[in-house]
């Protein structure tokens, strides 16, 4: 099946960095895959056959190094099923060796707005919990004003992403107080004020818990 609107730079896929699993390497590989698939859309990116092909051909060496290194026995079978195929949106978005890289950059582009894509992607991939809330829980990415505001407040208040516990406190307060709020009709300054208040409340609650412990 041909998709004339999408072009592939196979050489770029074959040249992904296999030296490390550190977040900064994941950022560069995500950008490279995103740029290598010019014209790709979220609707087309849901097609598992695309990612199955890429992980078995152009991205085979990377996929093996990233997900099979050190595995043995049944773990290899599971890793192959999880990371070399695509059986639905969650599979290609969160597990497929190359699909997850494209979706990282796609969501970061939404969250960046007019800001810096690479910096935003670095923030999203800084911790597993952050990626979970931006990429895997699509309600955040589907609301650009909220996603962009979250990136701004995380840059303004570094403590939010300093530890997993801090980010969880922030998200707990945001989920509780943000339910039902129409961020789509709010101005950027209004969104920023709400998220700044959310961050302040989350810090207060976190400090109380730390003192109690």
């Amino acid at each position: 099946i041909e998709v004339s609107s999408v072009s592939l730079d196979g050489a770029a896929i074959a040249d992904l960095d296999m030296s490390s699993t550190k977040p900064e390497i994941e950022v560069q590989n995500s950008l490279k895959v995103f740029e290598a698939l010019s014209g790709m859309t979220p609707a087309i990116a849901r097609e598992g056959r695309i990612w199955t092909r890429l992980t078995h051909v152009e991205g085979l060496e990377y996929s093996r190094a990233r997900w099979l290194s050190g595995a043995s026995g049944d773990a290899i079978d599971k890793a192959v099923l999880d990371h070399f195929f695509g059986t639905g949106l969650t599979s290609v978005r969160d597990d497929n060796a190359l699909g997850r890289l494209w979706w990282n950059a796609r969501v970061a582009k939404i969250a960046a707005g007019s800001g810096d894509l690479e910096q935003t992607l670095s923030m999203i991939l800084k911790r597993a919990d952050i990626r979970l809330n931006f990429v895997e829980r699509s309600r955040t990415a589907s609301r650009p004003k909220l996603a962009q505001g979250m990136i701004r407040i995380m840059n303004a208040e570094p403590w939010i992403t300093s530890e997993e516990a801090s980010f969880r406190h922030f998200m707990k307060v945001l989920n509780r107080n943000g339910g039902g709020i129409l961020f789509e009709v709010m101005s950027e300054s209004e969104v920023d004020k709400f998220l700044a208040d959310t961050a302040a409340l989350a810090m207060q609650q976190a400090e109380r818990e730390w003192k109690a412990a």
Side-chain angles (χ1 to χ4, degrees):
I1 299 174
E2 293 186 3
V3 182
S4 59
S5 61
V6 181
S7 62
L8 167 67
D9 182 351
I13 298 290
D15 192 41
L16 294 176
D17 192 337
M18 299 175 282
S19 65
S20 169
T21 61
K22 292 180 179 179
E24 53 265 32
I25 301 299
E26 189 93 337
V27 167
Q28 294 306 315
N29 283 339
S30 296
L31 292 171
K32 187 171 286 188
V33 170
F34 193 67
E35 293 168 359
L37 289 161
S38 177
M40 178 67 80
T41 66
I44 299 173
R46 292 169 180 262
E47 175 52 70
R49 290 174 293 179
I50 294 172
W51 305 110
T52 299
R53 147 72 194 230
L54 291 175
T55 52
H56 281 81
V57 183
E58 290 83 0
L60 180 61
E61 188 176 356
Y62 165 80
S63 301
R64 282 175 170 167
R66 177 66 175 83
W67 296 104
L68 300 185
S69 179
S72 61
D74 292 343
I76 291 181
D77 294 340
K78 185 178 188 308
V80 168
L81 288 173
D82 287 346
H83 304 298
F84 286 71
F85 293 89
T87 56
L89 174 59
T90 56
S91 175
V92 301
R93 184 191 64 200
D94 304 329
D95 298 320
N96 182 274
L98 299 178
R100 70 189 308 279
L101 297 177
W102 186 89
W103 281 98
N104 286 343
R106 167 64 188 179
V107 170
K109 185 175 182 179
I110 295 172
S114 59
D116 185 270
L117 173 57
E118 184 172 347
Q119 183 184 45
T120 300
L121 186 54
S122 296
M123 179 66 74
I124 290 174
L125 297 182
K126 183 177 181 180
R127 298 191 179 279
D129 273 6
I130 301 177
R131 184 187 190 276
L132 175 68
N133 279 279
F134 274 88
V135 181
E136 298 182 31
R137 293 176 181 169
S138 57
R139 286 178 299 176
T140 300
S142 66
R143 308 183 74 181
K145 281 198 172 183
L146 173 59
Q148 292 162 19
M150 287 176 64
I151 293 296
R152 291 194 297 272
I153 192 63
M154 288 191 292
N155 281 319
E157 300 286 352
W159 76 269
I160 295 174
T161 60
S162 61
E163 298 179 359
E164 287 187 359
S166 299
F167 184 72
R168 289 173 183 172
H169 275 294
F170 173 74
M171 289 306 303
K172 187 184 299 183
V173 176
L174 175 59
N175 289 333
R176 184 182 67 234
N177 294 352
I181 292 181
L182 295 177
F183 294 98
E184 291 76 9
V185 300
M186 296 169 66
S187 66
E188 183 175 303
S189 60
E190 289 173 331
V191 173
D192 288 346
K193 169 100 173 36
F194 173 82
L195 291 174
D197 292 343
T198 298
L201 183 57
M203 179 178 282
Q204 291 173 6
Q205 294 184 0
E207 288 177 344
R208 284 198 295 269
E209 288 190 16
W210 293 332
K211 289 178 181 178

